[in-house]
Amino acid sequence: MGNTKSTSSDTFSNSNSQFLASAGVSDCTAGWRFPEKGWIKCNVDGSFLAEKRSTGCGGVYRDEQGNWLYGFSKKLVYSDLTTAEIEAIYTGLKVAWERGYKKIILESDSTAAVDLVNKGVSSGHSLAEPVNQAREYLNKDWKEIKIVYLPRDYNKVADKLAALSHEFQVGVLREYVDPPQPCIYYLSDGVSGKRG
């Protein structure tokens, strides 16, 4: 396949079904789907605990058969949930690039973060720094890349990885070659068996 880059930035709507259709996802009720042959799917999530003043993110990479390839948890500088979700996308892209995964579907359960990263923001926007940091990775020489929305109910593995980050020091990126115990149950929960 050529050197095509694709992001899902054509249209955005607060309606999940319209947004998902514009992002190329046909059925948001079908659960987590296996990626097409040759693709790696990365699911990311941000986590924000106001009572602990703690922010983190996590992500998981799976192949076309749903096999665990790699996972991460990262403790972030305390901020807000939207920033954590954007940082999750950034970290997911950065780790994918560093590991040599060049044909990626990255899924996030934050429509706001997906929209901001796909479309970009003005230099004066309050989230310009994390958005631009993530967008720098969109300009790399990927074979193909898509950043799309996935409903929270089907993003539980990334959610568990993000929750683990609260136990670390700020800036620590914990790598998981094998799934950590809190994720094992959720690896098959919500999987549709379909591709997409």
Side-chain angles (χ1 to χ4, degrees):
M1 207 168 224
N3 197 17
T4 1
K5 295 178 190 176
S6 60
T7 59
S8 306
S9 60
D10 295 334
T11 58
F12 177 78
S13 167
N14 287 329
S15 161
N16 284 346
S17 60
Q18 288 177 347
F19 178 75
L20 291 170
S22 74
V25 179
S26 60
D27 184 1
C28 69
T29 62
W32 186 89
R33 293 175 174 228
F34 297 97
E36 296 292 335
K37 185 175 171 100
W39 288 78
I40 302 293
K41 186 168 277 191
C42 172
N43 290 85
V44 297
D45 197 21
S47 183
F48 170 76
L49 298 177
E51 66 280 4
K52 289 188 174 183
R53 295 191 54 79
S54 181
T55 310
C57 66
V60 56
Y61 301 84
R62 289 181 271 190
D63 66 15
E64 62 203 43
Q65 297 173 338
N67 297 317
W68 177 283
L69 298 175
Y70 183 80
F72 70 85
S73 299
K74 183 177 181 184
K75 178 72 171 268
L76 303 170
V77 173
Y78 182 69
S79 59
D80 57 73
L81 183 56
T82 302
T83 302
E85 297 284 4
I86 294 166
E87 290 278 355
I89 292 172
Y90 162 71
T91 305
L93 293 171
K94 183 177 188 292
V95 169
W97 183 260
E98 290 171 352
R99 295 190 62 81
Y101 304 149
K102 300 292 175 73
K103 198 170 179 181
I104 294 287
I105 299 171
L106 186 143
E107 295 179 330
S108 166
D109 60 23
S110 170
T111 55
V114 167
D115 187 47
L116 289 167
V117 171
N118 278 328
K119 292 182 176 181
V121 296
S122 67
S123 59
H125 194 284
S126 63
L127 295 171
E129 186 178 340
V131 168
N132 291 337
Q133 194 175 25
R135 286 184 59 79
E136 283 179 24
Y137 272 87
L138 292 180
N139 294 322
K140 293 200 176 279
D141 193 24
W142 304 91
K143 287 182 181 177
E144 288 190 73
I145 184 161
K146 299 176 184 179
I147 300 176
V148 297
Y149 171 78
L150 175 76
R152 183 175 187 80
D153 286 347
Y154 306 125
N155 206 28
K156 291 179 183 173
V157 177
D159 177 69
K160 293 298 174 194
L161 290 165
L164 291 172
S165 72
H166 296 293
E167 305 304 317
F168 312 144
Q169 296 296 317
V170 171
V172 170
L173 175 73
R174 174 95 184 257
E175 303 177 11
Y176 304 98
V177 175
D178 296 308
Q181 190 63 39
C183 295
I184 292 173
Y185 170 79
Y186 295 101
L187 281 170
S188 61
D189 184 46
V191 174
S192 73
K194 297 178 182 177
R195 299 205 177 274

